[in-house]
Amino acid sequence: MSDLHPGPCRIPPQSGTAFLLRASEILRIYDPMGEQVADLFAFKQDDHACSLSSGRTIDYASKIYLSTGDRLYANDSRPMFRILDDKVGRHDFLLTPCSQEMFEILYQHRGHHPSCFENLCRAFEPFGIRPEQIHTTFNVFMNVEVDAQGLVRVKPPRSRAGDYIELRAEMNLVCALTACSAENSNNGSFKPIDYEIIRRPCND
Ligand SMILES: [Zn+2]
């Protein structure tokens, strides 16, 4: 039996969306043009106190760069996602989503700037999720290097046009996903992000 899915949806540049992802469904996130970051955050569908945790995940994986076979954990230590496939192999789980304040502090930007945090807040709002419940995102395709002295540098993504990552939901989730709005994270230009939800018959 082939995959049952209607095809990818597009997230326009500097925007975001939210959707439900059932246990065993697969979220495939594409970088359609290359060098574009997508921030992902998730809550357990029926318990918003349970949310994606960078700290738990890095602790249990004993590494900061997560890829095929690794799990992303919730704050209560239950697995939320498992990475089934990964064409890029470099994603970030250290940095929070870009925000208005980040653009003011790091970029000395004045006036409104679109941001992943604002887009995540807007996408989660219809689910009754408040801004203060959103924490460190899994920053798909974001290339953050940490050197031996602990210095953190944001480099251009390694993703090329058509690359993707697949994450399988390990519980029923409400997810939000963005096409990132930060100049430095996306090598200076803002592109869309594509995603699709794949429902495969479960044999295990
Ligand atoms: Zn961003």
Side-chain angles (χ1 to χ4, degrees):
M1 195 170 176
S2 62
D3 297 349
L4 303 169
H5 58 93
C9 302
R10 174 149 290 189
I11 302 172
Q14 297 189 295
S15 70
T17 191
F19 48 87
L20 297 176
L21 191 69
R22 303 267 171 193
S24 86
E25 290 180 346
I26 296 161
L27 173 62
R28 186 185 286 166
I29 303 167
Y30 296 91
D31 183 346
M33 298 172 68
E35 296 190 322
Q36 175 62 43
V37 169
D39 286 14
L40 172 69
F41 201 71
F43 295 85
K44 190 172 190 292
Q45 187 189 352
D46 59 2
D47 177 12
H48 297 167
C50 176
S51 64
L52 189 63
S53 172
S54 164
R56 297 282 182 214
T57 301
I58 291 171
D59 193 358
Y60 302 147
S62 300
K63 59 183 175 183
I64 60 171
Y65 298 126
L66 302 156
S67 188
T68 306
D70 292 324
R71 288 183 173 83
L72 309 187
Y73 286 86
N75 53 345
D76 64 4
S77 297
R78 282 182 284 183
M80 288 194 119
F81 295 98
R82 181 170 181 164
I83 302 175
L84 293 189
D85 198 0
D86 179 8
K87 302 302 183 196
V88 178
R90 178 56 61 90
H91 316 279
D92 171 66
F93 211 4
L94 296 173
L95 304 185
T96 48
C98 61
S99 66
Q100 177 66 34
E101 293 78 9
M102 188 218 76
F103 288 107
E104 293 169 8
I105 292 166
L106 282 184
Y107 291 68
Q108 284 78 51
H109 183 83
R110 294 181 190 280
H112 176 259
H113 193 298
S115 69
C116 287
F117 187 69
E118 182 182 47
N119 289 327
L120 292 167
C121 292
R122 204 173 281 154
F124 274 131
E125 190 179 19
F127 295 90
I129 294 165
R130 301 183 307 277
E132 62 270 24
Q133 294 176 280
I134 303 166
H135 301 293
T136 304
T137 35
F138 184 57
N139 303 311
V140 174
F141 311 129
M142 189 176 186
N143 184 9
V144 175
E145 292 189 351
V146 183
D147 75 11
Q149 282 70 46
L151 287 172
V152 174
R153 291 190 182 84
V154 178
K155 301 280 195 174
R158 295 181 178 180
S159 49
R160 295 171 185 266
D163 282 346
Y164 64 85
I165 184 172
E166 284 185 354
L167 302 119
R168 185 182 67 201
E170 303 295 284
M171 59 174 71
N172 291 341
L173 298 169
V174 53
C175 302
L177 184 68
T178 66
C180 178
S181 299
E183 284 81 351
N184 282 359
S185 301
N186 304 294
N187 204 18
S189 66
F190 304 118
K191 287 84 66 186
I193 285 290
D194 291 347
Y195 73 99
E196 62 185 323
I197 297 170
I198 301 169
R199 300 172 177 92
R200 281 180 187 150
C202 191
N203 298 318
D204 55 5

